[in-house]
C-alpha cells in the first residue's frame, strides 16, 4: 500500500551491537545502522522514535515507545488520508 517499514539503529557500538537484537526479534524488515549523525539530522530526542517519511520528506516524528496496535492504527490512518487526497 505504498508503505515501507525500516528500522534505523543509532547504537554507539556500531552495527554489530544491534545485530543480536535483530536476530532474536526475527524482524521482517530492513534494519540500517546510521550512527550519531542521524541524531542531529533528524533531531532525535529519545529512543525509540518513529519517523514517518513521505516522498523523501519527514512529515512526522513520534518519540517514545509505542504499542504495535498504536503504530498499526496510525499507519492505517495515514493510508486513508493519502487515499482521500489522491481521490480529490
Amino acid at each position: 500500500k505504498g508503505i515501507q517499514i525500516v528500522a534505523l539503529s543509532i547504537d554507539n557500538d556500531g552495527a554489530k551491537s544491534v545485530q543480536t537484537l535483530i536476530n532474536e526479534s526475527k524482524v521482517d524488515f530492513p534494519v540500517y545502522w546510521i550512527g550519531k549523525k542521524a541524531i542531529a539530522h533528524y533531531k532525535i530526542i529519545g529512543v525509540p522514535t518513529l519517523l514517518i517519511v513521505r516522498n523523501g520528506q519527514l512529515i512526522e516524528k513520534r518519540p517514545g515507545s509505542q504499542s504495535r496496535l498504536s503504530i498499526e492504527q496510525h499507519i492505517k490512518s495515514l493510508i486513508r488520508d493519502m487515499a482521500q487526497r489522491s481521490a480529490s
Side-chain angles (χ1 to χ4, degrees):
K1 294 190 178 192
I3 300 280
Q4 181 178 10
I5 307 279
V6 299
L8 305 176
S9 169
I10 58 174
D11 291 279
N12 292 331
D13 297 332
K16 289 182 182 180
S17 65
V18 75
Q19 190 62 50
T20 302
L21 178 63
I22 293 167
N23 294 344
E24 289 173 0
S25 302
K26 299 178 183 173
V27 297
D28 60 350
F29 48 84
V31 178
Y32 302 101
W33 179 78
I34 55 176
K36 292 181 182 180
K37 290 181 182 180
I39 294 171
H41 180 77
Y42 291 109
K43 299 178 178 127
I44 296 172
I45 58 170
V47 176
T49 296
L50 173 65
L51 302 175
I52 300 178
V53 178
R54 181 181 294 147
N55 299 324
Q57 298 293 315
L58 179 64
I59 60 168
E60 190 174 341
K61 182 170 38 174
R62 297 174 58 147
S65 183
Q66 300 170 53
S67 71
R68 180 182 180 114
L69 179 61
S70 171
I71 294 170
E72 286 177 0
Q73 288 173 338
H74 190 65
I75 289 172
K76 286 177 183 177
S77 172
L78 290 171
I79 292 170
R80 281 192 302 272
D81 290 349
M82 287 171 35
Q84 288 173 353
R85 285 184 196 150
S86 65
S88 302

